[in-house]
Amino acid sequence: MIFFVLFTATLNLGFGFAAALVVRRLTTPAPSPLVVSPPETFLPDLDHVDSLHHPSRVQQPLSSVAKANSEDIPGEYLAILTAEAVETQGLVEAAAQVLRLEVGRYRNNLIEIENRLRDLWYQPTEEALQEICDELDALNTGWLETQEIAAEHLNDSQSNLGAYAEVANRLSEVLLSQTAQIETTISNLRNLDLSFDLDNHCRKLVLEICRLIDLAHDLRDKMQETLVTVLRAERRLTDLDPSVKDDSLTGLPSRTGIEAVLFQWWREDIRRERLVSVALVDIDHFRKVNERLGTENGDKALAAFGRLVAELVTRDRGYEVVSRFSGQQLLIFFGDTGPREATSSMERIRQTLRQTTFVHEGDEFELTVSAGVTEIKPNDTASQLFSRALTSLRAAKKNGRNITVLDEGAGPQLITPPDYQVRGRVVKVAD
């Protein structure tokens, strides 16, 4: 009899628990679907890079790398690199360094033309606009020749580049894609009829220049990725000159600099036992700031933004580094920090930025950010880590911006953060 009573009670409890679960599912609203888009990768890890980060694995021979390093660098490239005191060890690295330097000069010339055009904004003349169109035509024609020469060098040396042949091929594809877009801009400029509607043509010219500057930014970031891929493969990240590791605009570590931090961290934590998380942060709609203030002042706003984020990162918990990853993207490295704690820190930063007003010459504007947070897994390569962080960042962009998305290993997930009591502030953008 006792056993029967116990059995009946247990059965009733089981039915009651199951019913409670059903009721809870029916009464709890389903979470909003999270929109996720995969990252667009530019450069994959070279085949032997995994073994460089994972000493327990068998390392592939580096003979193909040595073969690539023995390649002759064109004389015109050597002259440019020598003048800038830049040392390289192979054609792909040399081409990336030269293009990085040259695209910087090209961008500066575009900004100078943009500033002159903005000075004409309210009183444009046909002669002044025609002069600017002619100057843009000559500048872009010369830049296309620079890109074409670089692509020819890379394509002609494909058979001798060994492990770097695929990297060189992707670099050539980027140059080809940009060539087509720049040729379209040149055609648009040559077809402008400046005999009427000068105000409208002035605005069109500003937009064309902004598109060219965006292309320059994209190519600059691609060159940085190319250099990092080569330096990572050859384990030269920690032996670089400090000027290469720092971003000249923000004063923060550059993409190369943060890769050097990650490389050193893994070298000291060979068993991958310490917690590490990263947050990839992107300013929302920053192009509108450039169009509103001009690219030169947009650079100043970006520098002020980078300094503010560096100030907001707390340094009493572990080892944190704020770096400029690319363009208007920052990457925050949280050493000895799990993903939940890193997300909490990132949310406090995001909410503070939301309450911040930036001021440039009396013109006030706000900057919000989207962020993707992820933990570094024991088997991660650098590319896998950044790819996962980029996927989370893009999920934040797809789901409305000005939010943080967390990936703890099961894919990007929206979070419901607490409202932190952050203090509003005013940041003056340097003149």
Side-chain angles (χ1 to χ4, degrees):
M1 183 67 179
I2 295 176
F3 289 110
F4 177 76
V5 171
L6 290 175
F7 174 75
T8 303
T10 302
L11 191 62
N12 288 335
L13 285 173
F15 280 122
F17 181 71
L21 285 178
V22 171
V23 171
R24 183 175 180 181
R25 286 187 179 182
L26 292 175
T27 57
T28 302
S32 302
L34 179 62
V35 182
V36 181
S37 59
E40 298 169 4
T41 56
F42 170 62
L43 292 174
D45 279 330
L46 298 179
D47 292 340
H48 57 278
V49 170
D50 276 0
S51 62
L52 300 183
H53 290 312
H54 303 286
S56 60
R57 300 179 186 175
V58 178
Q59 182 165 322
Q60 303 281 345
L62 294 177
S63 56
S64 57
V65 175
K67 183 178 181 180
N69 288 343
S70 66
E71 283 297 313
D72 292 332
I73 300 173
E76 63 268 31
Y77 280 9
L78 286 174
I80 295 173
L81 296 171
T82 300
E84 297 291 336
V86 176
E87 295 183 2
T88 60
Q89 297 187 14
L91 176 58
V92 174
E93 183 182 356
Q97 286 283 23
V98 168
L99 286 170
R100 179 183 65 84
L101 294 169
E102 292 296 319
V103 77
R105 298 187 183 99
Y106 169 67
R107 178 183 185 272
N108 290 339
N109 288 329
L110 287 173
I111 291 174
E112 182 182 344
I113 296 174
E114 180 193 10
N115 291 340
R116 286 166 43 204
L117 186 57
R118 287 180 181 274
D119 290 339
L120 296 170
W121 194 264
Y122 298 106
Q123 290 183 321
T125 65
E126 181 178 347
E127 294 76 17
L129 293 184
Q130 186 61 60
E131 181 180 345
I132 285 176
C133 284
D134 293 341
E135 191 170 345
L136 277 172
D137 190 293
L139 177 63
N140 287 312
T141 301
W143 177 239
L144 286 179
E145 292 177 359
T146 299
Q147 289 192 335
E148 183 179 354
I149 291 172
E152 287 178 355
H153 285 315
L154 292 170
N155 292 332
D156 291 345
S157 302
Q158 280 285 328
S159 60
N160 298 321
L161 291 178
Y164 295 117
E166 179 62 20
V167 179
N169 184 54
R170 289 178 178 269
L171 189 52
S172 296
E173 290 176 357
V174 170
L175 295 175
L176 181 61
S177 172
Q178 292 222 345
T179 294
Q181 296 179 69
I182 293 173
E183 286 176 342
T184 299
T185 295
I186 292 176
S187 176
N188 292 339
L189 294 175
R190 291 176 179 174
N191 289 326
L192 282 179
D193 184 354
L194 299 177
S195 62
F196 69 100
D197 201 7
L198 295 182
D199 290 339
N200 186 43
H201 288 320
C202 192
R203 295 186 184 91
K204 286 182 178 179
L205 283 172
V206 169
L207 291 177
E208 291 292 350
I209 292 175
C210 287
R211 291 190 189 97
L212 292 172
I213 291 175
D214 284 344
L215 289 176
H217 292 168
D218 184 57
L219 184 60
R220 176 195 60 195
D221 293 340
K222 295 298 191 292
M223 295 310 99
Q224 189 74 12
E225 290 184 40
T226 303
L227 290 171
V228 166
T229 298
V230 174
L231 297 172
R232 185 196 301 152
E234 297 177 6
R235 287 186 280 189
R236 289 193 283 131
L237 283 168
T238 56
D239 301 325
L240 298 173
D241 186 90
S243 62
V244 180
K245 297 180 185 179
D246 297 331
D247 176 60
S248 59
L249 176 63
T250 62
L252 301 172
S254 64
R255 168 68 185 271
T256 307
I258 197 62
E259 288 259 5
V261 169
L262 181 59
F263 187 89
Q264 184 66 29
W265 182 277
W266 275 337
R267 189 161 68 177
E268 294 175 357
D269 181 29
I270 194 170
R271 296 183 182 276
R272 302 287 189 92
E273 295 176 337
R274 299 172 67 180
L275 292 174
V276 186
S277 301
V278 299
L280 186 57
V281 186
D282 187 273
I283 304 177
D284 298 323
H285 302 299
F286 190 69
R287 181 177 181 179
K288 293 182 179 179
V289 176
N290 282 334
E291 293 177 356
R292 176 177 172 180
L293 303 180
T295 305
E296 186 172 21
N297 291 326
D299 282 352
K300 295 175 183 178
L302 181 58
F305 171 84
R307 289 192 296 268
L308 175 58
V309 173
E311 292 174 7
L312 294 176
V313 172
T314 57
R315 300 179 183 278
D316 57 351
R317 183 181 58 250
Y319 180 79
E320 288 99 8
V321 179
V322 181
S323 67
R324 185 185 183 191
F325 193 71
S326 67
Q328 71 267 12
Q329 292 184 351
L330 303 181
L331 187 131
I332 307 176
F333 179 94
F334 295 97
D336 295 317
T337 306
R340 293 293 178 104
E341 195 173 5
T343 301
S344 177
S345 180
M346 183 62 243
E347 262 304 297
R348 188 180 296 276
I349 293 170
R350 186 191 65 79
Q351 293 180 30
T352 301
L353 292 170
R354 186 182 58 192
Q355 300 296 327
T356 298
T357 299
F358 293 83
V359 182
H360 178 262
E361 297 181 350
D363 193 359
E364 297 184 355
F365 58 96
E366 286 74 40
L367 296 175
T368 64
V369 299
S370 302
V373 178
T374 189
E375 180 183 15
I376 299 181
K377 304 298 183 181
N379 293 324
D380 271 342
T381 64
S383 290
Q384 289 169 339
L385 167 66
F386 297 141
S387 176
R388 197 165 60 250
L390 181 58
T391 299
S392 296
L393 171 61
R394 287 184 173 163
K397 293 286 189 181
K398 287 281 188 179
N399 287 273
R401 293 183 168 84
N402 193 24
I403 58 174
T404 299
V405 167
L406 170 64
D407 184 350
E408 292 186 280
Q413 300 291 327
L414 291 175
I415 65 169
T416 305
D419 287 329
Y420 291 105
Q421 298 301 312
V422 297
R423 177 175 59 87
R425 61 184 69 198
V426 176
V427 174
K428 291 185 178 181
V429 177
D431 294 332

